[in-house]
Amino acid sequence: VQLVESGGGLVQAGGSLKLSCAVSAPAYSTYAIGWFRQAPGKARDFVAAINWRGSSTTYTDSVKGRFTISRDNAKNTVYLQMNSLKPEDAAVYYCAARIGMVVTTTVHDYAFWGQGTQVTVSS
């Protein structure tokens, strides 16, 4: 499984960005996708996750109501729409894949990772 993130950049506080995660996986495989972020000097933290069908999503409390995760399996792409961005949202954002149907929030549950995309929020 290979993942490639895109869509990061510099945005003012209160602005929006939409991240994309393009997934290459064996045919007929099913996988959950999580978004995580890591700020300098800090641990990699969970942001949001979505199951294979897109019927189940979960978010960390700090982004609820501002971020939306979605997926288009026909395009093998998962999105993270980020609105009302705050300086504390600045980080490298990673998407990760977990084979199977279950959505989890733990870094170690995800076996496959992208290279990350930088999000910078100016105050």
Side-chain angles (χ1 to χ4, degrees):
V1 178
Q2 294 182 321
L3 304 101
V4 178
E5 303 95 335
S6 62
L10 172 64
V11 63
Q12 287 188 333
S16 298
L17 281 175
K18 186 173 185 178
L19 306 183
S20 298
C21 174
V23 183
S24 297
Y28 306 112
S29 59
T30 59
Y31 46 89
I33 295 291
W35 283 98
F36 295 79
R37 64 188 179 187
Q38 187 167 20
K42 295 189 176 182
R44 190 168 297 187
D45 292 330
F46 171 77
V47 177
I50 189 166
N51 69 346
W52 167 249
R53 292 188 173 88
S55 58
S56 176
T57 60
T58 187
Y59 300 88
T60 191
D61 286 346
S62 64
V63 307
K64 285 180 181 177
R66 299 188 298 122
F67 291 12
T68 302
I69 189 171
S70 61
R71 67 190 297 164
D72 183 341
N73 287 343
K75 296 182 178 179
N76 295 320
T77 303
V78 176
Y79 305 98
L80 185 68
Q81 177 68 49
M82 306 187 295
N83 299 329
S84 302
L85 282 161
K86 304 175 181 180
E88 53 263 41
D89 293 318
V92 177
Y93 281 71
Y94 299 89
C95 64
R98 181 178 189 278
I99 301 302
M101 303 295 288
V102 177
V103 171
T104 73
T105 64
T106 305
V107 168
H108 298 298
D109 287 340
Y110 291 79
F112 306 96
W113 292 82
Q115 82 289 349
T117 186
Q118 178 72 51
V119 171
T120 303
V121 183
S122 63
S123 57

